[in-house]
Each structure stands twice: as structure tokens, then as C-alpha cells.
Amino acid sequence: MNIPFLSFGFHEQIREKLLEASIRVIDSGWFVNGEEVSAFQNEWADYLACGHTVGTSNGLDALILSLKALGIGAGDEVIVPSNTYVATALAATHVGATPVFVEPKIETYNIDPRRIEAAITNKTKAIMPVHLYGQAAEMTAIMEIAERHGLFVVEDNAQAQGAQHKGQKTGTFGHCNGTSFYPGKNLGALGDAGAVSTNDAELAHKVKVLSNYGSQKKYYNEVIGHNNRLDEMQAAFLRVKLPHLDEWTAQRQAIASAYREWLNGAGDLVLPVTQVDSSHVYHLFVVRTKQRNALAQHLNENGIGTLIHYPVPPHLQECYQNLGYKRGDFPIAEEIADTALSLPVWPGMPDADVLSVASSIKAFFNV
Ligand SMILES: *Cc1c(COP(=O)(O)O)cnc(C)c1O
């Protein structure tokens, strides 16, 4: 058996269109700040039903630029989930702020709104919810807390493109939000790429200027900027892929239902729980078990690829030693890191493969 964790076989369906797009860019002789990026920004904004989007070099830069545009910097605190991918916390650190960790709900893996207020101090400037593994966080509750305390919200929408909370797409709730088009994300480019989304024209303008050397007019620089632009080639590829996103999401959701049905009752396996009012686009299908390492090894021996998202929570990473945390400080995040296992899921994954993964897991648990 050879079932990879992720396959890009679904690119076959759009291969010709990707080639045409690349030729269009090559023949245009225009590679940065051009029509492909403008068109993609409009199409991404339409898809989200959001006022403005600005293409960026990647997801981490989209988050950094969002925080900078909101004026967040040295001495400020930014609330992030304790179980996120490290990039969310890094964005806060890169603008000079301190990430403050808040535990998730163990059922949904998303930040627990009931725990946010206890973490707010007079230095808190923003909350960064993450729609982890593809499930929309509880945005209504989070926005209400932010409003009550005069805080900004910056959604990390890297894993949940197309997910909704109460019918509204993720990436449109917060003041200024970031997403990633890293190849493995639900909407992936063929290289690094990302975008900011906001309903505030002034913030969109600030992000655009910051991403372009702090300049609107070539060689005139208003602010200390970065080079964090999306390029024409990646924008052209994203324009080919965006029209397929909903169809690919539906395929991910069908695979998730099949896993659910076939894995129900297998040993101590915990299956993903969807929150009322939130949809899940299954960027990852994450299960949990006390025997995680043994199960991963069993699947690996049977030719099935798995990954752990994530083996070390941010507060225990070497790069954050200076924050002074120790094991036991965020027990829910640590429990998830110790027990989570991501199973293969990609658009077009054959039913037979899904069944093989499920059967192999059942064999492991002797059911
Ligand atoms: C992928 C990811 C990012 C970073 O995106 P890049 O494009 O790789 O910089 C940020 N946050 C989360 C939750 C992610 O999964």
C-alpha cells in the first residue's frame, strides 16, 4: 500500500490551465505589481464577500502586515491560541509585541472564548483567532469580547479558506486578517503566497503600501516598508485554482464523513467535533488517541502517511524560551500535541484509499 499524506494528483484536472496561465505571464513580460495580482485580489475579495484583499508574499507576512497596519508594536500584547502553528505567535513577535497564549476547547481545538477575558491586560491590543485544521472559530463571541475591551481582531485564516461561521466566511470578521496560499493549504499556489483581507479601505491601503517598500509612487517612500508582495505568476496560478475551491472543499468534507462513519467506535480514537454555527473545510482531519505514536508507526509500516499538527506547542518551542513557560502551563495544548494525528486527506483522494486508512486503523485497535 502507498497512501501519501497529501497528493497533488488533483492538479492534473487543471494542468493545461496552469500552463496557459504561466505562458500568459511570461509573454506579458510583467512579473510584479501587475494585472494578475489586481484581478486575483478582486476575485478573492468577491469569493470572501469582503471589501478588500491585498496579495502578500506568504501567510506569515500577511499576519505581520495586518498587525503593523493596525499600529501594534513594541510593548503590546497579542492573544493567540496556545495550540496554534507557531506562525501566529511569530507574527506578534516580529512586530515587537508579546504573544499571550489562551487555551483552546479540547473538543474543537479552537480558542476558547470563555478563557480570553482572563488573559486581557492593559497592554492587550489584539486577539488573533486561528481557524485551526479548517474549522471556523467562534467569531461572534470573539468579536463581542474584542468590542467590549476595545481590541482589534486579526484572524489567522491560513487553514480555513471557504469556512463559515453563521454563514459568514472566515477572514471577514476581524479588522485585518491574513491567509496563506502555501501549496499544501486548501487554496494553494505553486510556491509561497498569501493575502490580507479587510473591510476597511484605509487598512487595505496601509497594508499595500507597507508591502511595497512603504511606497505608492515608485522611488518615493512614505513609511518604513517591506518587500512582501504577491507576484504575478503565483496570482495567475491562484486565479486558475480559486474557481475549484468549493468543489475541492466538498471533496474534503466527503472524505471526512467517510472517515467518521468508518472510524466511529475504534478504540479510544477521538474524531473531530464540529461546533454549532461553524463549518469545517478539513484542511486537516485530526484524530486523537493515547496510543498516537504507536498508531502512527503502524500506519507508516502499512505505507500510509500521517503527520502531527503540531508536536510542540509554541510556548515550549526553543525560540520562545525567553517567555519563561514550562511544561504544564498550557495542559490542553500539550494534551493535543501529545495525542493528535493527522490522517491523509486531499481533493480527489480515492474512496478505496480512505477505506484502507480506516481499515488499517481498525486493525490497530483490533476492531
Ligand atoms: C501555514 C500557516 C501560516 C503561515 O503561512 P505561510 O504562508 O507558510 O507563511 C500561519 N498560520 C497558520 C495557522 C498556518 O497553518
Side-chain angles (χ1 to χ4, degrees):
M1 202 156 27
N2 178 22
I3 302 178
F5 177 71
L6 170 64
S7 160
F8 287 108
F10 65 97
H11 280 170
E12 194 50 44
Q13 172 191 5
I14 50 165
R15 190 168 177 278
E16 286 307 314
K17 288 198 164 154
L18 291 171
L19 289 171
E20 280 167 28
S22 71
I23 292 166
R24 190 171 71 230
V25 173
I26 293 165
D27 289 350
S28 77
W30 195 276
F31 305 105
V32 173
N33 283 347
E35 284 171 15
E36 299 289 343
V37 169
S38 301
F40 174 69
Q41 289 175 166
N42 290 334
E43 289 157 14
W44 183 232
D46 282 349
Y47 178 82
L48 293 176
C50 177
H52 312 269
T53 76
V54 181
T56 61
S57 34
N58 57 57
L60 174 58
D61 290 336
L63 295 172
I64 293 172
L65 293 176
S66 294
L67 292 172
K68 276 212 170 173
L70 290 166
I72 295 163
D76 296 337
E77 290 178 358
V78 174
I79 290 174
V80 305
S82 55
N83 60 325
T84 187
Y85 178 55
V86 73
T88 323
L90 288 178
T93 305
H94 278 299
V95 301
T98 303
V100 172
F101 301 108
V102 166
E103 292 264 66
K105 285 188 175 170
I106 189 72
E107 297 82 15
T108 63
Y109 311 128
N110 275 331
I111 193 166
D112 187 343
R114 296 165 305 188
R115 294 172 183 265
I116 291 176
E117 279 187 297
I120 296 174
T121 71
N122 56 12
K123 291 181 179 167
T124 310
K125 285 283 155 57
I127 307 170
M128 295 181 79
V130 182
H131 309 292
L132 201 70
Y133 307 152
Q135 170 159 220
E138 292 173 64
M139 291 313 300
T140 313
I142 294 166
M143 294 310 295
E144 196 221 73
I145 294 165
E147 212 159 290
R148 193 149 13 99
H149 293 270
L151 305 177
F152 291 120
V153 171
V154 174
E155 291 169 74
D156 178 340
N157 196 31
Q159 302 191 355
Q161 293 136 352
Q164 306 188 359
H165 178 70
K166 296 187 180 167
Q168 184 179 339
K169 291 229 170 83
T170 55
T172 67
F173 291 86
H175 298 84
C176 202
N177 315 295
T179 195
S180 163
F181 304 122
Y182 177 78
K185 307 293 185 184
N186 285 27
L187 178 60
L190 305 187
D192 277 313
V196 167
S197 53
T198 175
N199 284 307
D200 184 323
E202 202 175 313
L203 283 172
H205 179 72
K206 277 191 185 164
V207 168
K208 184 153 198 284
V209 172
L210 278 170
S211 74
N212 188 40
Y213 292 111
S215 161
Q216 286 189 76
K217 189 175 162 193
K218 209 169 165 82
Y219 306 129
Y220 292 82
N221 303 77
E222 303 151 35
V223 292
I224 302 288
H226 302 251
N227 177 355
N228 283 163
R229 301 172 300 217
L230 174 64
D231 67 69
E232 291 285 288
M233 192 64 90
Q234 296 307 333
F237 292 144
L238 288 164
R239 294 183 68 200
V240 172
K241 294 183 85 175
L242 178 56
H244 295 275
L245 179 58
D246 285 344
E247 153 202 341
W248 290 334
T249 297
Q251 290 172 13
R252 288 176 181 274
Q253 289 167 334
I255 292 161
S257 325
Y259 272 139
R260 254 177 218 298
E261 188 181 326
W262 289 329
L263 290 174
N264 190 29
D268 71 339
L269 207 66
V270 180
L271 299 174
V273 172
T274 36
Q275 171 83 36
V276 187
D277 295 330
S278 284
S279 74
H280 201 318
V281 296
Y282 292 100
H283 171 57
L284 298 168
F285 190 89
V286 178
V287 296
R288 289 196 301 115
T289 165
K290 295 260 177 259
Q291 301 181 71
R292 190 266 311 276
N293 293 346
L295 175 59
Q297 193 187 334
H298 166 84
L299 291 173
N300 183 46
E301 283 163 3
N302 284 284
I304 296 169
T306 61
L307 286 175
I308 296 170
H309 296 92
Y310 297 93
V312 180
H315 71 281
L316 298 178
Q317 291 286 356
E318 193 180 340
C319 67
Y320 278 129
Q321 269 178 7
N322 64 314
L323 295 178
Y325 292 113
K326 58 184 188 312
R327 192 158 244 286
D329 285 344
F330 296 97
I332 300 177
E334 292 165 19
E335 170 80 15
I336 296 167
D338 291 344
T339 58
L341 189 66
S342 304
L343 305 182
V345 50
W346 70 85
M349 181 179 177
D351 282 348
D353 284 0
V354 182
L355 184 56
S356 296
V357 175
S359 304
S360 186
I361 292 172
K362 284 178 154 173
F364 174 82
F365 286 112
N366 295 313
V367 290

